[in-house]
mmCIF file of all heavy atoms in Angstrom:
data_model
loop_
_atom_site.group_PDB
_atom_site.id
_atom_site.type_symbol
_atom_site.label_atom_id
_atom_site.label_comp_id
_atom_site.label_asym_id
_atom_site.label_seq_id
_atom_site.Cartn_x
_atom_site.Cartn_y
_atom_site.Cartn_z
ATOM 1 N N ALA P 14 0.827 -1.146 0.040
ATOM 2 C CA ALA P 14 -0.015 0.016 0.026
ATOM 3 C C ALA P 14 0.832 1.229 -0.064
ATOM 4 O O ALA P 14 2.074 1.116 0.235
ATOM 5 C CB ALA P 14 -0.881 0.043 1.231
ATOM 6 N N THR P 15 0.153 2.296 -0.234
ATOM 7 C CA THR P 15 1.026 3.611 -0.161
ATOM 8 C C THR P 15 1.628 3.861 1.176
ATOM 9 O O THR P 15 2.808 4.291 1.289
ATOM 10 C CB THR P 15 0.001 4.803 -0.530
ATOM 11 O OG1 THR P 15 -0.556 4.495 -1.781
ATOM 12 C CG2 THR P 15 0.828 6.170 -0.592
ATOM 13 N N ARG P 16 0.895 3.439 2.233
ATOM 14 C CA ARG P 16 1.389 3.629 3.638
ATOM 15 C C ARG P 16 1.178 2.306 4.404
ATOM 16 O O ARG P 16 0.077 1.849 4.375
ATOM 17 C CB ARG P 16 0.672 4.747 4.253
ATOM 18 C CG ARG P 16 1.016 4.903 5.818
ATOM 19 C CD ARG P 16 2.526 5.363 5.899
ATOM 20 N NE ARG P 16 2.970 5.340 7.368
ATOM 21 C CZ ARG P 16 2.783 6.403 8.132
ATOM 22 N NH1 ARG P 16 2.178 7.462 7.739
ATOM 23 N NH2 ARG P 16 3.142 6.340 9.440
ATOM 24 N N ILE P 17 2.191 1.813 5.034
ATOM 25 C CA ILE P 17 2.068 0.668 5.874
ATOM 26 C C ILE P 17 2.383 1.067 7.345
ATOM 27 O O ILE P 17 3.418 1.608 7.589
ATOM 28 C CB ILE P 17 3.037 -0.438 5.346
ATOM 29 C CG1 ILE P 17 2.591 -0.937 3.988
ATOM 30 C CG2 ILE P 17 3.011 -1.598 6.372
ATOM 31 C CD1 ILE P 17 3.602 -1.975 3.422
ATOM 32 N N ILE P 18 1.484 0.651 8.164
ATOM 33 C CA ILE P 18 1.618 0.963 9.630
ATOM 34 C C ILE P 18 1.818 -0.457 10.187
ATOM 35 O O ILE P 18 0.993 -1.388 10.130
ATOM 36 C CB ILE P 18 0.332 1.503 10.185
ATOM 37 C CG1 ILE P 18 0.120 2.890 9.639
ATOM 38 C CG2 ILE P 18 0.350 1.562 11.766
ATOM 39 C CD1 ILE P 18 -1.189 3.645 10.007
ATOM 40 N N ASN P 19 2.951 -0.567 10.991
ATOM 41 C CA ASN P 19 3.208 -1.896 11.721
ATOM 42 C C ASN P 19 2.619 -1.632 13.167
ATOM 43 O O ASN P 19 3.113 -0.938 13.923
ATOM 44 C CB ASN P 19 4.713 -2.029 11.689
ATOM 45 C CG ASN P 19 5.041 -3.447 12.476
ATOM 46 O OD1 ASN P 19 4.181 -4.146 12.924
ATOM 47 N ND2 ASN P 19 6.303 -3.692 12.510
ATOM 48 N N ALA P 20 1.558 -2.428 13.404
ATOM 49 C CA ALA P 20 0.967 -2.290 14.676
ATOM 50 C C ALA P 20 1.217 -3.439 15.599
ATOM 51 O O ALA P 20 0.449 -3.851 16.543
ATOM 52 C CB ALA P 20 -0.602 -2.253 14.450
ATOM 53 N N LYS P 21 2.397 -4.063 15.419
ATOM 54 C CA LYS P 21 2.776 -5.097 16.305
ATOM 55 C C LYS P 21 2.824 -4.707 17.732
ATOM 56 O O LYS P 21 3.468 -3.656 18.053
ATOM 57 C CB LYS P 21 4.270 -5.633 15.915
ATOM 58 C CG LYS P 21 4.578 -6.931 16.669
ATOM 59 C CD LYS P 21 5.869 -7.552 16.077
ATOM 60 C CE LYS P 21 6.382 -8.761 16.814
ATOM 61 N NZ LYS P 21 5.478 -9.848 16.845
ATOM 62 N N GLY P 22 2.173 -5.507 18.666
ATOM 63 C CA GLY P 22 2.204 -5.128 19.920
ATOM 64 C C GLY P 22 1.094 -4.084 20.407
ATOM 65 O O GLY P 22 1.013 -3.660 21.520
ATOM 66 N N MET P 23 0.337 -3.684 19.439
ATOM 67 C CA MET P 23 -0.723 -2.614 19.620
ATOM 68 C C MET P 23 -2.111 -3.246 19.519
ATOM 69 O O MET P 23 -2.303 -4.230 18.836
ATOM 70 C CB MET P 23 -0.547 -1.580 18.466
ATOM 71 C CG MET P 23 0.825 -0.956 18.432
ATOM 72 S SD MET P 23 1.123 0.274 19.739
ATOM 73 C CE MET P 23 2.720 0.900 19.221
ATOM 74 N N ALA P 24 -2.966 -2.451 20.170
ATOM 75 C CA ALA P 24 -4.443 -2.839 19.992
ATOM 76 C C ALA P 24 -4.942 -1.872 18.858
ATOM 77 O O ALA P 24 -4.574 -0.750 18.753
ATOM 78 C CB ALA P 24 -5.176 -2.413 21.242
ATOM 79 N N VAL P 25 -5.718 -2.443 17.998
ATOM 80 C CA VAL P 25 -6.327 -1.823 16.926
ATOM 81 C C VAL P 25 -7.817 -1.863 17.103
ATOM 82 O O VAL P 25 -8.321 -2.975 17.065
ATOM 83 C CB VAL P 25 -5.876 -2.375 15.525
ATOM 84 C CG1 VAL P 25 -6.542 -1.564 14.339
ATOM 85 C CG2 VAL P 25 -4.414 -2.423 15.373
ATOM 86 N N ALA P 26 -8.448 -0.747 17.240
ATOM 87 C CA ALA P 26 -9.830 -0.707 17.546
ATOM 88 C C ALA P 26 -10.658 0.334 16.635
ATOM 89 O O ALA P 26 -9.999 1.184 16.077
ATOM 90 C CB ALA P 26 -10.062 -0.274 19.023
ATOM 91 N N PRO P 27 -12.012 0.272 16.610
ATOM 92 C CA PRO P 27 -12.657 1.255 15.924
ATOM 93 C C PRO P 27 -12.432 2.678 16.561
ATOM 94 O O PRO P 27 -12.165 2.650 17.849
ATOM 95 C CB PRO P 27 -14.228 0.925 16.072
ATOM 96 C CG PRO P 27 -14.146 -0.578 16.399
ATOM 97 C CD PRO P 27 -12.856 -0.767 17.135
ATOM 98 N N GLY P 28 -12.508 3.694 15.854
ATOM 99 C CA GLY P 28 -12.423 5.057 16.474
ATOM 100 C C GLY P 28 -13.448 5.189 17.598
ATOM 101 O O GLY P 28 -14.544 4.739 17.450
ATOM 102 N N PHE P 29 -13.121 5.838 18.606
ATOM 103 C CA PHE P 29 -14.005 5.938 19.731
ATOM 104 C C PHE P 29 -15.058 7.070 19.358
ATOM 105 O O PHE P 29 -14.874 8.048 18.705
ATOM 106 C CB PHE P 29 -13.250 6.488 21.025
ATOM 107 C CG PHE P 29 -12.130 5.412 21.370
ATOM 108 C CD1 PHE P 29 -10.978 6.001 21.968
ATOM 109 C CD2 PHE P 29 -12.192 4.159 21.139
ATOM 110 C CE1 PHE P 29 -9.916 5.033 22.332
ATOM 111 C CE2 PHE P 29 -11.258 3.193 21.497
ATOM 112 C CZ PHE P 29 -10.056 3.670 22.007
ATOM 113 N N ILE P 30 -16.312 6.769 19.951
ATOM 114 C CA ILE P 30 -17.468 7.713 19.694
ATOM 115 C C ILE P 30 -17.862 8.282 20.987
ATOM 116 O O ILE P 30 -18.188 7.569 21.976
ATOM 117 C CB ILE P 30 -18.678 6.877 19.063
ATOM 118 C CG1 ILE P 30 -18.166 6.302 17.757
ATOM 119 C CG2 ILE P 30 -19.807 7.816 18.851
ATOM 120 C CD1 ILE P 30 -19.191 5.369 17.149
ATOM 121 N N ASP P 31 -17.726 9.616 21.105
ATOM 122 C CA ASP P 31 -18.007 10.369 22.316
ATOM 123 C C ASP P 31 -19.525 10.758 22.238
ATOM 124 O O ASP P 31 -19.968 11.661 21.502
ATOM 125 C CB ASP P 31 -17.182 11.608 22.398
ATOM 126 C CG ASP P 31 -17.383 12.326 23.778
ATOM 127 O OD1 ASP P 31 -18.220 12.061 24.488
ATOM 128 O OD2 ASP P 31 -16.495 13.173 24.053
ATOM 129 N N MET P 32 -20.378 10.200 23.120
ATOM 130 C CA MET P 32 -21.730 10.467 23.102
ATOM 131 C C MET P 32 -22.209 11.724 23.827
ATOM 132 O O MET P 32 -23.365 12.017 23.842
ATOM 133 C CB MET P 32 -22.540 9.220 23.766
ATOM 134 C CG MET P 32 -22.516 8.027 22.964
ATOM 135 S SD MET P 32 -23.458 8.128 21.458
ATOM 136 C CE MET P 32 -25.189 8.052 22.148
ATOM 137 N N HIS P 33 -21.301 12.458 24.377
ATOM 138 C CA HIS P 33 -21.603 13.636 25.038
ATOM 139 C C HIS P 33 -20.378 14.678 25.047
ATOM 140 O O HIS P 33 -19.541 14.617 25.772
ATOM 141 C CB HIS P 33 -21.991 13.413 26.626
ATOM 142 C CG HIS P 33 -22.426 14.567 27.415
ATOM 143 N ND1 HIS P 33 -23.645 14.583 27.988
ATOM 144 C CD2 HIS P 33 -22.009 15.882 27.474
ATOM 145 C CE1 HIS P 33 -23.826 15.817 28.602
ATOM 146 N NE2 HIS P 33 -22.789 16.511 28.290
ATOM 147 N N ALA P 34 -20.445 15.487 23.988
ATOM 148 C CA ALA P 34 -19.315 16.441 23.810
ATOM 149 C C ALA P 34 -19.811 17.879 23.683
ATOM 150 O O ALA P 34 -20.878 18.169 22.977
ATOM 151 C CB ALA P 34 -18.624 16.059 22.540
ATOM 152 N N HIS P 35 -19.231 18.740 24.309
ATOM 153 C CA HIS P 35 -19.555 20.246 24.186
ATOM 154 C C HIS P 35 -18.567 20.790 23.190
ATOM 155 O O HIS P 35 -17.427 21.111 23.415
ATOM 156 C CB HIS P 35 -19.342 20.911 25.614
ATOM 157 C CG HIS P 35 -20.308 20.509 26.710
ATOM 158 N ND1 HIS P 35 -21.538 21.101 26.753
ATOM 159 C CD2 HIS P 35 -20.337 19.502 27.552
ATOM 160 C CE1 HIS P 35 -22.218 20.541 27.728
ATOM 161 N NE2 HIS P 35 -21.518 19.573 28.220
ATOM 162 N N LEU P 36 -19.220 20.870 21.976
ATOM 163 C CA LEU P 36 -18.390 21.274 20.766
ATOM 164 C C LEU P 36 -18.460 22.793 20.480
ATOM 165 O O LEU P 36 -18.094 23.218 19.406
ATOM 166 C CB LEU P 36 -18.978 20.520 19.575
ATOM 167 C CG LEU P 36 -18.969 18.941 19.671
ATOM 168 C CD1 LEU P 36 -19.628 18.389 18.480
ATOM 169 C CD2 LEU P 36 -17.522 18.510 19.785
ATOM 170 N N ASP P 37 -18.980 23.572 21.472
ATOM 171 C CA ASP P 37 -19.231 24.934 21.298
ATOM 172 C C ASP P 37 -18.007 25.756 20.642
ATOM 173 O O ASP P 37 -18.253 26.541 19.792
ATOM 174 C CB ASP P 37 -19.504 25.607 22.658
ATOM 175 C CG ASP P 37 -20.574 24.930 23.444
ATOM 176 O OD1 ASP P 37 -20.550 23.663 23.418
ATOM 177 O OD2 ASP P 37 -21.478 25.565 23.904
ATOM 178 N N PRO P 38 -16.787 25.478 20.952
ATOM 179 C CA PRO P 38 -15.738 26.166 20.394
ATOM 180 C C PRO P 38 -15.238 25.700 19.025
ATOM 181 O O PRO P 38 -14.196 26.018 18.480
ATOM 182 C CB PRO P 38 -14.471 26.033 21.376
ATOM 183 C CG PRO P 38 -15.133 25.322 22.527
ATOM 184 C CD PRO P 38 -16.231 24.543 22.068
ATOM 185 N N ILE P 39 -16.070 24.871 18.319
ATOM 186 C CA ILE P 39 -15.551 24.133 17.184
ATOM 187 C C ILE P 39 -15.301 25.087 15.988
ATOM 188 O O ILE P 39 -14.474 24.742 15.141
ATOM 189 C CB ILE P 39 -16.547 23.066 16.724
ATOM 190 C CG1 ILE P 39 -15.973 22.070 15.759
ATOM 191 C CG2 ILE P 39 -17.905 23.651 16.116
ATOM 192 C CD1 ILE P 39 -16.751 20.754 15.575
ATOM 193 N N LEU P 40 -15.964 26.278 15.925
ATOM 194 C CA LEU P 40 -15.609 27.191 14.866
ATOM 195 C C LEU P 40 -14.184 27.629 14.908
ATOM 196 O O LEU P 40 -13.646 28.040 13.908
ATOM 197 C CB LEU P 40 -16.695 28.336 14.802
ATOM 198 C CG LEU P 40 -18.100 27.875 14.530
ATOM 199 C CD1 LEU P 40 -19.027 29.101 14.667
ATOM 200 C CD2 LEU P 40 -18.259 27.251 13.170
#
């Protein structure tokens, strides 16, 4: 592939989903 990531010794998980975030400063 264009980029290869060696994750040996690592946990690979779905990205975390934050169910309660105050995003007010996002702009």
Side-chain angles (χ1 to χ4, degrees):
T15 304
R16 175 67 188 274
I17 294 177
I18 294 172
N19 184 0
K21 187 174 179 59
M23 303 284 186
V25 182
F29 303 147
I30 299 173
D31 187 349
M32 287 293 285
H33 184 129
H35 290 273
L36 302 176
D37 311 44
I39 197 165
L40 294 177

